[in-house]
Amino acid sequence: MFKANKTRTIMKGLGFGIMTTAMLLVSACGSTTTTQAPAKTEQTAAPAAESKPVTLTNNGIEMTYPSAPERTVTLNQHVTEIMLALGLADKMVGTAYLDDKILPELKADYDKIPVLSDKYPTKEVLLAANPDFVYAGWKNGFGEKGVGTMQDLEKVGIKSYLQESSNTPGPTIDDVFADITNIGRIFRVEDKANDLINKMKSEMDQTISKIGKVDEPLKVFVYDNGEDKPFTAANNYMTSLIKTAGGKNIFDDIQKGWAEVSWEQVVSRNPDVIIIVDYGDRTVEQKRNFLLTKKELADIPAIKNQRLMVLPLSAASEGVRAPIALKILAEGLYPDKFK
C-alpha cells in the first residue's frame, strides 16, 4: 500500500525529478501544539509574526522558512488536501499524484491548480512551475525517483516539507495534527490549522461515542495486494485507526509500516474481518473474489461470514480524511451501532 519506507506498486516508473489511525484515544489528541496569534502593532495591520522566520526540524533536517511560501507544488493527494483544507489554494502553482478523486468540498479549488503529472513530475516540469516550496506526502517524493532530496531543493532556493506522520513508525492522529500545525506555522495560518484540527477531533469524537466500550476487539487483516504472499499493514497509521474503531490488526506486532507475510500466518491469526485497500490496477471486486475463492482461507471467520470491507487508499493516508476513515472502519466493524 502507501507505506512510507517502501516504493509502492502504485509508484512504479517514476522519472528522476528535480533536485529535486489504536490509535490514540481522542483525549490524547488534545496534545496538539497551537500557536497564539501575535498582537497587531499600531504601525501595521499585519501580525508581527508574519515577518519572523519559522524554523522546524523536518525529516531530520533543520529547515528555516523566512516567509510564507507563495508558489507551492504538492506531491501526493493527502498533502494536497491539507493545503486546500487550510484555504491555501492561492498559494499553489502545481500538484501531482492523486490516488483517487479529490474530496468533493475541495474540488472547486483543486480544479484551479495545474496538475503537473499523474505521478511525480520530472525535474524540468517542476522547475517550469517556478516553485518556492515543495510539500511531499511520501519519502519517495524526495528520493531518487522523486523530485530530488530536500537538500538538493534547498541549493536552488526551494524550501520543502515531508509529511512526518507518513514517514514515522507507528504514527497516530496526533502525528497528523502535528503536520497540520507545522504547515499552519510555515504559511502563517495557525488559526486555520487549529480550526481544522478541532473540526477533525469533533467529527472523530462523534464516531467514537457511537462505538462505545469494546470488551473484545475484532481481529482485522488488512489486504493491500499480493497473491503468492499477501502484503499487509503492520505497525502503521491504519493500525492506530483500526484500534480506535474497536479492532485489532492481527499483524501489529511486526515492527515496520507494511510487511509481506504468508497465507499460513493469516490463517493462524484467524481474522474476523478483512479490510481491502482500494487502489492500484486490481479492482476491489478482483481482490474480493480472490480472497473469497482462496482455499486456504475458507475456514477463517472473515471468509465464512463474508466480512470484507473496503477502505480507499486516500482515506487510509495521514491527512484530513481521518474522520472519514474512522467512520468507514467503525461502521464496517460494528454496523449495528450505526443503524
Side-chain angles (χ1 to χ4, degrees):
M1 164 162 180
F2 48 81
K3 59 188 176 49
N5 59 0
K6 178 181 180 295
T7 301
R8 306 180 44 79
T9 301
I10 191 173
M11 295 183 178
K12 295 187 295 184
L14 308 177
F16 180 78
I18 179 176
M19 316 192 58
T20 29
T21 283
M23 139 175 188
L24 295 180
L25 294 174
V26 165
S27 60
C29 297
S31 62
T32 304
T33 301
T34 59
T35 302
Q36 183 177 357
K40 296 180 180 179
T41 66
E42 293 183 1
Q43 291 76 19
T44 176
E50 288 190 3
S51 62
K52 294 181 179 179
V54 170
T55 299
L56 301 170
T57 299
N58 176 238
N59 193 29
I61 302 168
E62 185 175 282
M63 185 74 67
T64 297
Y65 309 88
S67 59
E70 294 290 336
R71 299 183 59 80
T72 299
V73 169
T74 56
L75 310 176
N76 306 117
Q77 181 167 344
H78 58 301
V79 300
T80 297
E81 291 184 340
I82 286 174
M83 289 284 293
L84 295 174
L86 290 174
L88 296 170
D90 62 335
K91 306 296 184 182
M92 299 172 67
V93 296
T95 185
Y97 224 129
L98 284 190
D99 297 313
D100 54 37
K101 293 180 180 179
I102 207 80
L103 279 171
E105 60 267 32
L106 303 177
K107 189 175 186 303
D109 284 336
Y110 174 79
D111 287 344
K112 299 173 187 176
I113 303 165
V115 175
L116 304 184
S117 174
D118 290 338
K119 304 296 184 182
Y120 292 130
T122 64
K123 173 181 178 179
E124 291 75 19
V125 169
L126 183 64
L127 285 174
N130 191 29
D132 60 4
F133 182 69
V134 177
Y135 181 15
W138 308 117
K139 191 169 290 187
N140 309 76
F142 293 134
E144 292 181 359
K145 294 183 178 180
V147 296
T149 68
M150 295 174 74
Q151 295 92 332
D152 287 340
L153 292 169
E154 180 80 5
K155 290 176 183 177
V156 294
I158 301 174
K159 298 295 180 179
S160 57
Y161 186 87
L162 174 67
Q163 189 83 340
E164 293 271 9
S165 57
S166 297
N167 300 278
T168 301
T172 68
I173 189 63
D174 267 351
D175 295 304
V176 178
F177 292 157
D179 278 314
I180 294 173
T181 297
N182 285 342
I183 295 301
R185 290 184 62 199
I186 291 169
F187 284 87
R188 283 62 168 179
V189 291
E190 291 96 333
D191 287 348
K192 289 183 178 180
N194 290 334
D195 288 345
L196 176 58
I197 289 168
N198 289 333
K199 179 177 181 290
M200 292 171 66
K201 287 181 180 181
S202 176
E203 292 174 357
M204 295 176 77
D205 270 337
Q206 293 175 34
T207 298
I208 290 171
S209 67
K210 289 184 179 181
I211 297 170
K213 188 173 184 290
V214 176
D215 295 321
E216 189 173 347
L218 293 173
K219 293 179 291 184
V220 178
F221 166 55
V222 178
Y223 179 63
D224 182 273
N225 64 69
E227 295 192 1
D228 293 335
K229 291 184 177 182
F231 191 63
T232 187
N235 185 25
N236 67 11
Y237 179 60
M238 280 194 67
T239 294
S240 176
L241 287 174
I242 290 167
K243 184 176 180 179
T244 303
K248 176 178 171 55
N249 178 2
I250 62 173
F251 289 109
D252 63 1
D253 58 321
I254 299 177
Q255 295 306 306
K256 53 181 172 179
W258 293 85
E260 189 176 71
V261 296
S262 69
W263 291 113
E264 290 77 15
Q265 288 175 293
V266 175
V267 171
S268 69
R269 300 189 183 203
N270 207 32
D272 300 300
V273 180
I274 295 175
I275 297 173
I276 297 172
V277 182
D278 183 11
Y279 84 99
D281 296 332
R282 297 187 69 202
T283 67
V284 167
E285 280 308 307
Q286 287 174 323
K287 291 181 179 181
R288 179 183 173 86
N289 290 337
F290 169 74
L291 293 168
L292 288 173
T293 57
K294 191 165 182 61
K295 293 181 180 179
E296 298 98 310
L297 304 180
D299 293 328
I300 65 173
I303 297 300
K304 286 195 297 184
N305 300 320
Q306 295 198 22
R307 295 204 62 183
L308 289 79
M309 57 187 295
V310 177
L311 187 67
L313 175 58
S314 57
S317 299
E318 297 84 350
V320 299
R321 298 194 186 214
I324 297 172
L326 181 61
K327 188 175 181 182
I328 290 172
L329 293 172
E331 289 179 342
L333 293 176
Y334 302 103
D336 291 344
K337 297 186 178 185
F338 291 85
K339 289 183 177 179

